[in-house]
Amino acid sequence: IVTGEPGAGKTKDMPLALLGSLLARNNQAQGIAIIMETKEIQNALLDHVRRDHSGIAQWFSIWNGDPDGHQWPQHESFIILVQPLRLFWRVLHSSPKADDVQHRIYDEIHDASPWQLFLVSHDISQLVANPKCGLHVFLMSATLETPLWKAIEATAQHNFGRDAMGHVNVACPPGMLSPAKRTKEIPANLLPANFDQLEWGQQVCH
């Protein structure tokens, strides 16, 4: 479990820390998938890495299937941003069956989409069937209080035991405030009546 308030650096820093730790322990190629539902979030993260961390940008890429013109990473080790359905498609149809991605990070799992839930259920069943399959699952969340998270946690504890999951909390560097502490919530009465029904881009404009 990887937790931390919004803006603490979970999605940006944790995959790199994981990759560095894996490479320090052995010389084998390491594939890490950050499973994100929307392409907008994928592109925003990749743009941020390229802009602010150009030295590590070579490790990051997006893959949502050949129709989008994406190519699977050519590096021996990599961090791939991928939609859950696309990764599952590759698991089913690639040869070998996507075993170059043994580390799967589920971003914002507390607000998981149906396809994220489907894929994490598939991963859990794979681990139950073969605990030594080499798969490692990381559940990343800004909160542990949503019904979705509690259901996922209960499922994992039922299958693997209450103490089976490690917990890492990501915090901002000392002296740095997270976006949550540098912003002010807009009162609901100042928002349009249909704000919750607007597309993400329209909400940003408001």
Side-chain angles (χ1 to χ4, degrees), residues 82-171:
V82 61
Q83 292 176 310
L85 180 57
R86 297 298 188 182
L87 182 59
F88 185 66
W89 180 91
R90 187 171 186 273
V91 169
L92 292 179
H93 296 286
S94 66
S95 180
K97 291 186 178 298
D99 59 1
D100 55 348
V101 181
Q102 290 293 76
H103 305 275
R104 300 180 186 176
I105 301 172
Y106 286 85
D107 189 46
E108 305 294 354
I109 195 67
H110 63 277
D111 192 28
S113 70
W115 283 116
Q116 280 178 305
L117 291 175
F118 175 81
L119 187 57
V120 76
S121 298
H122 175 270
D123 287 347
I124 289 174
S125 65
Q126 186 176 348
L127 285 167
V128 170
N130 182 11
K132 297 183 179 180
C133 65
L135 180 64
H136 299 83
V137 175
F138 300 83
L139 305 175
M140 189 176 296
S141 178
T143 175
L144 303 181
E145 300 302 323
T146 66
L148 275 177
W149 165 256
K150 290 183 180 297
I152 294 170
E153 182 182 39
T155 300
Q157 290 179 352
H158 172 76
N159 285 285
F160 308 113
R162 182 171 295 275
D163 299 324
M165 295 185 291
H167 186 185
V168 175
N169 187 66
V170 179

Side-chain angles (χ1 to χ4, degrees), residues 165-186:
M165 295 185 291
H167 186 185
V168 175
N169 187 66
V170 179
C172 291
M176 177 181 173
L177 295 178
S178 69
K181 294 180 179 177
R182 288 187 278 116
T183 56
K184 184 178 181 181
E185 186 172 353
I186 301 173

